[in-house]
Amino acid sequence: MSLHRLTSITVGVPNVAETAAYYTDFGLTPTGPTGLRFATTDGGEQLEIAPAPRRRLLQVGLGAQDEDDLGRIASQLNRLDIASARTEAGLTVSDPNSQLEVTIAVTPELRQEPAVVEPTNGPGRRDRPDGRAPSIERTNRVRPRKLGHLVIGSVDQSATQRFFVEGLGFKISDEVPGLASFLRCSTDHHNVLVQQAPLNFLHHTAWEVDDVDEVGRGATRMLEGHPERHVWGLGRHHIGSNFFWYLRDPAGNFSEYYSDLDCIISDALWKPSVVEGARGLYNWGPPPPPSFIQPEDLGELMTASHGPA
């Protein structure tokens, strides 16, 4: 695979300062003089907040192994009659269907040190005798390790999937027929999910934490004094297997704490599945609220999409 990771995103919002404060609360670290760029502990600078008339995903960054990969991707895009441009930053291309701008740059691979595995008890086990669970004693701030994936709505899901797969070189991990495809450019189960939607929009971003306790602790802290931030969780997805909790930023974008996502090292050993019904959304947890399936501002975004960008 020419690509090896999702490096960064730029999100446009009308309420820049308020949204930036949210992602600081979320556990990202502000960088730079403006305080509108944010870093994760392992992935470096991975989020930029920019002013825009309405919330929208402005740019996605991807990491490639070397310059030859950029040339190969340009050739693949050319076969789809999609123009790309080489710049100092790398290879830049705009998906003609979703108008999403993607920049691919030669980037070092992400190296992550494994988190400490806490001892657990269970039937017939005594891994943690005479002591309280260590995770209960945690008091440190939850800080995401990396930007793991993003979910975008597309008016033509199949065309956008073709852009990512045939053009950029993503691979299909699993699919929900007629609705969504889970695509990867790394060993993570998915880095981009493309779902059918009445307009092109950003549904959510997902940020990796160490374990399910960090998912719960992070969300609980975010909800203290801000119950309006809650969207859906705690639960576990069937596709990808990850624990999740979704929150809403002040602009209306969903942000997800997640842990324990499936890892795909060998394409030959992974069998992509077609998943239907409720399992396309989750395995256990509370049922998803209607606002998760169809965000409350979708009508407003559709109206605004016919005006100036």
Side-chain angles (χ1 to χ4, degrees), residues 136-308:
I136 296 299
E137 305 291 356
R138 294 176 187 169
T139 58
N140 60 300
R141 283 283 304 275
V142 172
R143 297 203 176 275
R145 298 278 296 265
K146 70 176 183 182
L147 170 64
H149 58 270
L150 55 93
V151 172
I152 58 174
S154 170
V155 295
D156 190 336
Q157 190 272 337
S158 61
T160 300
Q161 176 176 321
R162 188 163 57 252
F163 167 76
F164 277 99
V165 175
E166 298 178 24
L168 300 181
F170 279 63
K171 302 214 172 155
I172 300 171
S173 298
D174 288 303
E175 294 184 273
V176 179
L179 178 63
S181 53
F182 293 75
L183 311 176
R184 69 184 187 276
C185 64
S186 71
T187 57
D188 286 348
H189 175 274
H190 57 283
N191 302 105
V192 172
L193 188 158
V194 182
Q195 64 181 25
Q196 186 65 38
L199 81 161
N200 302 314
F201 78 106
L202 173 63
H203 184 275
H204 76 262
T205 58
W207 305 84
E208 182 185 52
V209 294
D210 285 343
D211 54 36
V212 66
D213 281 292
E214 298 296 87
V215 172
R217 287 201 318 116
T220 298
R221 185 186 181 282
M222 287 292 288
L223 294 174
E224 291 174 356
H226 292 281
E228 76 282 357
R229 290 174 170 176
H230 175 71
V231 178
W232 184 29
L234 172 70
R236 188 162 197 173
H237 287 302
H238 184 84
I239 301 179
S241 306
N242 49 303
F243 296 102
F244 66 81
W245 200 318
Y246 294 91
L247 303 160
R248 180 187 292 104
D249 75 20
N253 304 295
F254 299 157
S255 58
E256 174 193 4
Y257 288 118
Y258 80 89
S259 68
D260 195 14
L261 185 75
D262 288 335
C263 179
I264 302 174
I265 301 295
S266 171
D267 293 334
L269 296 179
W270 179 263
K271 299 290 189 289
S273 298
V274 175
V275 183
E276 301 186 80
R279 284 194 166 187
L281 283 170
Y282 71 122
N283 188 286
W284 59 257
S291 61
F292 181 80
I293 309 299
Q294 185 167 334
E296 294 171 353
D297 65 347
L298 210 56
E300 179 183 341
L301 291 175
M302 290 176 67
T303 301
S305 68
H306 296 292

Side-chain angles (χ1 to χ4, degrees), residues 26-214:
F26 193 76
L28 304 183
T29 302
T31 62
T34 65
L36 299 181
R37 295 176 180 268
F38 297 86
T40 57
T41 60
D42 293 344
E45 198 173 86
Q46 295 201 277
L47 171 66
E48 180 178 4
I49 303 296
R54 63 182 186 277
R55 69 176 184 93
R56 57 193 296 255
L57 181 61
L58 299 175
Q59 190 268 346
V60 173
L62 303 173
Q65 299 283 356
D66 52 45
E67 293 289 336
D68 289 343
D69 292 331
L70 300 185
R72 190 159 38 250
I73 292 169
S75 296
Q76 293 167 182
L77 291 166
N78 188 56
R79 285 196 290 272
L80 295 178
D81 293 324
I82 299 175
S84 60
R86 290 293 291 268
T87 67
E88 290 184 4
L91 181 73
T92 300
V93 59
S94 180
D95 173 22
N97 175 64
S98 67
Q99 288 79 56
L100 177 63
E101 183 179 291
V102 178
T103 297
I104 307 102
V106 176
T107 310
E109 290 193 34
L110 181 64
R111 304 293 183 186
Q112 292 185 283
E113 292 298 321
V116 175
V117 178
E118 304 283 15
T120 58
N121 285 331
R125 292 169 52 186
R126 295 293 182 271
D127 295 349
R128 196 185 65 242
D130 307 320
R132 219 177 298 280
S135 59
I136 296 299
E137 305 291 356
R138 294 176 187 169
T139 58
N140 60 300
R141 283 283 304 275
V142 172
R143 297 203 176 275
R145 298 278 296 265
K146 70 176 183 182
L147 170 64
H149 58 270
L150 55 93
V151 172
I152 58 174
S154 170
V155 295
D156 190 336
Q157 190 272 337
S158 61
T160 300
Q161 176 176 321
R162 188 163 57 252
F163 167 76
F164 277 99
V165 175
E166 298 178 24
L168 300 181
F170 279 63
K171 302 214 172 155
I172 300 171
S173 298
D174 288 303
E175 294 184 273
V176 179
L179 178 63
S181 53
F182 293 75
L183 311 176
R184 69 184 187 276
C185 64
S186 71
T187 57
D188 286 348
H189 175 274
H190 57 283
N191 302 105
V192 172
L193 188 158
V194 182
Q195 64 181 25
Q196 186 65 38
L199 81 161
N200 302 314
F201 78 106
L202 173 63
H203 184 275
H204 76 262
T205 58
W207 305 84
E208 182 185 52
V209 294
D210 285 343
D211 54 36
V212 66
D213 281 292
E214 298 296 87

